[in-house]
């Protein structure tokens, strides 16, 4: 019964909620959620991506991705373009307004990074980040 309370999933989710509150508080200054910021960052780095590519890169279900993209499209931050005859195949790209908002949000994201590093320790934060990325890294 003791092992039942050594729950990795709960511990990770609890920590994620805590860290998300820090980042969310900073990013709300530019009207973006953490997921929206991360998605826009992926598009900034990679350029236009299909929904399938974006879902795989973000480790998201397509339905969740659609819900994240809808307000970004509505606010003119991303655009979508049909690829070929298949109307379900969309390419998503940052607009010029989206690039401006993303760059403005980076200042707030850096402030969130600094707050977390101050609270947790810079070396520990870097080690934690490395370990967490290792969980989702594709096997070679």
């Amino acid at each position: 019964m003791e092992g039942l309370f050594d729950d990795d999933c709960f511990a990770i989710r609890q920590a994620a909620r805590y860290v998300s509150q820090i980042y969310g508080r900073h990013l709300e200054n530019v009207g973006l959620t953490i997921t929206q910021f991360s998605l826009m960052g992926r598009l900034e780095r990679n350029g236009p991506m299909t929904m399938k590519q974006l879902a795989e890169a973000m480790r998201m279900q397509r339905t969740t991705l659609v819900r994240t993209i809808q307000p970004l499209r509505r606010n003119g931050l991303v655009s979508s373009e049909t690829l070929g005859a298949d109307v379900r195949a969309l390419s998503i790209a940052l607009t010029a307004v989206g690039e401006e908002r993303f760059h403005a949000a980076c200042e707030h994201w850096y402030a969130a990074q600094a707050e977390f590093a101050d609270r947790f320790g810079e070396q520990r934060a870097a080690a934690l980040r490395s370990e967490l990325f290792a969980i989702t890294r594709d096997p070679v």
Side-chain angles (χ1 to χ4, degrees):
M1 191 70 170
E2 184 64 33
L4 182 63
F5 298 106
D6 292 335
D7 183 335
D8 296 326
C9 184
F10 176 76
I12 291 168
R13 290 177 65 116
Q14 179 175 288
R17 285 189 293 273
Y18 174 79
V19 173
S20 292
Q21 289 170 1
I22 293 170
Y23 282 79
R25 185 169 26 82
H26 285 274
L27 288 174
E28 73 184 8
N29 292 310
V30 287
L32 293 175
T33 67
I34 299 161
T35 306
Q36 290 170 338
F37 176 81
S38 296
L39 185 144
M40 292 171 74
R42 181 69 63 164
L43 292 172
E44 172 76 4
R45 284 188 304 279
N46 295 10
M49 299 175 76
T50 66
M51 290 287 284
K52 183 177 191 267
Q53 291 169 328
L54 202 47
E56 288 173 0
M58 299 287 295
R59 302 287 198 263
M60 293 174 78
Q61 298 286 327
R62 282 182 62 126
T63 55
T64 304
L65 181 60
V66 168
R67 285 193 305 272
T68 301
I69 288 174
Q70 284 173 339
L72 295 174
R73 280 181 50 199
R74 189 173 45 247
N75 294 328
L77 304 177
V78 300
S79 62
S80 58
E81 182 180 313
T82 305
L83 297 173
D86 187 356
V87 295
R88 295 172 301 165
L90 290 176
S91 175
I92 308 297
L94 276 180
T95 63
V97 173
E99 286 181 29
E100 286 178 27
R101 176 80 63 89
F102 175 74
H103 290 291
C106 285
E107 175 186 333
H108 299 281
W109 180 86
Y110 284 121
Q113 284 278 102
E115 182 178 335
F116 179 71
D118 285 347
R119 289 183 181 193
F120 194 64
E122 215 163 302
Q123 287 182 322
R124 288 176 65 205
L128 176 63
R129 189 169 40 256
S130 177
E131 290 297 321
L132 292 171
F133 277 132
I135 292 171
T136 57
R137 192 171 297 123
D138 291 328
V140 177

